[in-house]
Amino acid sequence: MAKLDSLLFPVFDALRRQGVPLGVSDYLLAVETIRSGLGLEDAARFKELCRLLWTKSKEDQELFEIAFAELIEPQLQIVSTSELVTATPINTSPSETPPSTISSESTLKNSEFQSQSQSESKTETLDEQVPFRPKPSRQLFSFKLDRVEQPRHYYFTMRLPISQREMAGIWRHLRRPQRTGVLEDLDVEGTIDSICRTGTFIRPRLQARRRNQAKLVVLIDQQGSMAPFAPLVNAVIESIERGGLLGKVSLYYFHDCPEGFLYERPSLTSPLPLEVVLNSQAKNNSVVIISDAGAACGYYDGTRLADTKAFIKTLGTYTYLYAWLNPMPSNRWLATTAGDIATIVPMFYLDKEGLNDAVNILRGHPFPPEVGTYE
Amino acid sequence: MADLAKRQYRGDGKCPYELLPEAWTEPEPYRAAKSLIEAVNVALYLRRPLLLEGEPGCGKTRLAYAVAYELGYPLHACYIRSTSRAQDLLYDYDALSRLYDIQERSSGSTQGKALPTLPRKNYMTLGELGKAIEQSQNDIPSIVLIDEIDKADIDFPNDLLLELDRLQFNVKEVPGCSFDALKGKKREERRNLLPLIIITSNREKELPKPFLRRCLFYYIEFPDQAILKEIVKSHFQAEITPLFETAIKRFWELRSLRNWRKIPGTSEFLDWVTILERDERAKKISDKALATKPITNLPHLETLVKTQPDRDALAKLRKQDG
């Protein structure tokens, strides 16, 4: 059991660290399945079994490939396919209690096959004959000459302050289920109520189904100081689109501060007047602004502050559900424009708690006490 | 039915087992990759839901039909819409017609004696998953297909968690009516009698983590040339003429031509080959002609290229080539 653990656990741990939703029961399930004999026919089947049990999306599969290649493949390569003939399922293992003669290096030189079966007898902790367990390090030396040096691959994953999956989960909270549309559901309470009032049953009362009426307008600061945050912003946009608000998200772009125009494309082309956009999209809907608000520049810019104040005032006439997401952490806002903008708009850092608070504000929670456009 | 534990999916389109009552008997020409066959058998052994993702048109839905046919199990297909609720999969209680019936009977009683009211159970109809659980309660396993689960509202997978885990549900409108596939025993004991649930998703929405944890995940890749040939063979029972081979080659070329907005998939390819076969029988095209036509000018491209941006891009390429 210990040997199987040492084989599987590193991969499991690597996947968990990357954010794949796995739990203890998944690990135990994998161990149980392998012990019952599935996936032991060859190395490829073993890999497929682990991939089937432990990955939950295409991206997870890529992470799995890397982890598996790095951690398990080197162990598996020791076993050549000829020994897999000796693979025995769990129910015949008691009859094959191995002889206790522990082989030393000298017997290794006799024959490859003999040493393989003897090394399998060595692992006394595992009752089943799992054909490709990692061997004790002494015997590895005799096979190292046959092994080709593995080329190292580097796979760069984004380390975001919050993973895309978590973001999608938080955006899911932005829902406004309201009963609108065609009346199709039977309103049991209402029907009973009308029967009680009138004493007879004339017709049933119908009500509409609850639909998610939340609409989100996303205003994104592009280029300039926001250029290094492009992958993070893309991850946020993708998580919003996957968060369940299908079709009711509009994206607009600006640079530094939306002064009179918003752009439809990330390259800051095809402008639309600000008031037109707000009038058509933002009325009573949630608006989120993603921008560093000058925190990445590191200095205080009075004109930027004044422009932003004017913009927030305009925005406030259309909707009160707005929040500001800042990719810079809050300790970097001090003494920059962002510090002052944070007093007029609820501003949050793009991590789990900050995003949670922002979505609460977008749902209609009251602003934090010190924030507001007071004059 | 003692061989339930030994039934395996082989991917060859034949059913060597005894058919269960109400089994799916329509043969389904489906060619699965080896790893997919393995995945189905592992899911069958563990009786965990199998989540399939892949390009649209790569055969996620048809797999369930193929598995049901080969194993001789009955099939329950639930096609999810955006307005689906988890409860609809389990049962539907028609409160309205019961109310109407009661009114009718009580008004009819002014003429004679009062008629007894019908039991509530008559007004309950089981949904597909509910039927599968009922069959499991009667010791008959089945295959349940939940198609395009990401179309539904985001709460839908979460509402299904308990039912997927424990395979039991109560009908709250009918007191004392409950269905339990496990019958109080442990899951391992009744494993071979539980339904196998196959779920397909188009990746439009992110599924919640507790739901993903309970499923086994498999991504169906686009088949390679060899499997594509097998698929064509199994769909068109006649032997392969050279036209089919040329079609496969040209289709592969077309796929690698550019970054498609909607890349042509297996089902589009089969439609195209059907039309080409008809043309070949009517002597309108031969395989040599197909091989020599420029890639942007293949016949019946409208079956393969489905979006305007793709068509515009092809038209541009056509102009470039002259």
Side-chain angles (χ1 to χ4, degrees), chain B residues 258-286:
Chain B
R258 61 182 294 268
N259 258 344
W260 294 93
R261 200 169 159 76
K262 200 250 164 230
I263 194 161
T266 323
S267 54
E268 279 104 358
F269 173 65
L270 290 172
D271 291 338
W272 188 53
V273 169
T274 319
I275 300 228
L276 287 179
E277 197 211 3
R278 183 197 68 176
D279 279 355
E280 196 195 17
R281 270 187 277 128
K283 301 276 190 278
K284 279 200 223 152
I285 191 169
S286 73

Side-chain angles (χ1 to χ4, degrees), chain B residues 22-69:
Chain B
E22 296 171 38
W24 181 259
T25 47
E26 236 182 80
E28 177 76 27
Y30 192 88
R31 274 291 164 273
K34 219 163 76 101
S35 49
L36 179 56
I37 300 177
E38 267 300 299
V40 172
N41 285 326
V42 171
L44 206 56
Y45 176 75
L46 294 172
R47 288 304 154 121
R48 282 232 174 167
L50 179 64
L51 176 63
L52 299 172
E53 278 184 14
E55 290 174 24
C58 62
K60 305 188 281 284
T61 316
R62 302 318 302 177
L63 175 70
Y65 289 89
V67 174
Y69 174 71

Side-chain angles (χ1 to χ4, degrees), chain B residues 83-307:
Chain B
T83 51
S84 301
R85 291 176 304 189
Q87 195 174 290
D88 297 339
L89 283 194
L90 295 171
Y91 69 91
D92 182 48
Y93 182 75
D94 198 355
L96 212 51
S97 51
R98 182 158 188 266
L99 195 52
Y100 280 130
D101 284 350
I102 292 179
Q103 290 292 118
E104 225 175 274
R105 280 157 185 276
S106 65
S107 62
S109 72
T110 56
Q111 297 155 6
K113 55 180 172 52
L115 301 161
T117 50
L118 292 173
R120 289 198 205 184
K121 206 157 178 198
N122 293 17
Y123 297 95
M124 179 202 63
T125 42
L126 284 176
E128 298 290 333
L129 186 55
K131 279 191 212 152
I133 294 180
E134 189 191 31
Q135 273 189 330
S136 276
Q137 208 174 341
N138 300 336
D139 293 348
I140 300 175
S142 55
I143 308 274
V144 178
L145 167 68
I146 303 183
D147 205 20
E148 300 195 3
I149 197 169
D150 56 330
K151 250 205 275 191
D153 194 40
I154 208 69
D155 283 334
F156 183 89
N158 276 333
D159 288 342
L160 271 187
L161 284 178
L162 188 68
E163 281 75 25
L164 283 185
D165 238 358
R166 306 225 244 118
L167 291 170
Q168 71 180 50
F169 66 100
N170 309 345
V171 181
K172 54 185 201 305
E173 287 90 349
V174 181
C177 180
S178 66
F179 297 89
D180 183 6
L182 291 178
K183 290 215 283 214
K185 303 216 186 90
K186 280 176 63 171
R187 213 190 156 94
E188 287 76 29
E189 292 168 21
R190 293 204 32 103
R191 223 179 233 173
N192 299 319
L193 304 168
L194 301 177
L196 173 67
I197 305 176
I198 297 183
I199 309 176
T200 68
S201 161
N202 275 323
R203 207 69 203 299
E204 277 176 15
K205 285 188 202 140
E206 183 90 22
L207 293 173
K209 275 198 217 180
F211 182 79
L212 286 179
R213 271 203 50 235
R214 284 166 175 75
C215 305
L216 305 179
F217 173 82
Y218 188 87
Y219 185 86
I220 299 188
E221 300 279 358
F222 188 75
D224 58 19
Q225 291 227 19
I227 301 199
L228 211 51
K229 226 190 234 180
E230 300 268 325
I231 294 177
V232 171
K233 256 195 223 155
S234 63
H235 274 259
F236 301 94
Q237 297 297 327
E239 71 284 330
I240 299 255
T241 66
L243 179 73
F244 289 109
E245 313 238 354
T246 330
I248 294 178
K249 279 206 201 74
R250 305 252 52 208
F251 179 70
W252 208 261
E253 266 179 59
L254 187 68
R255 261 180 74 98
S256 48
L257 197 59
R258 61 182 294 268
N259 258 344
W260 294 93
R261 200 169 159 76
K262 200 250 164 230
I263 194 161
T266 323
S267 54
E268 279 104 358
F269 173 65
L270 290 172
D271 291 338
W272 188 53
V273 169
T274 319
I275 300 228
L276 287 179
E277 197 211 3
R278 183 197 68 176
D279 279 355
E280 196 195 17
R281 270 187 277 128
K283 301 276 190 278
K284 279 200 223 152
I285 191 169
S286 73
D287 64 311
K288 290 203 189 27
L290 185 62
T292 50
K293 270 209 173 188
I295 191 76
T296 50
N297 222 352
L298 289 175
H300 303 291
L301 215 49
E302 65 274 3
T303 47
L304 292 173
V305 184
K306 299 277 177 75
T307 62

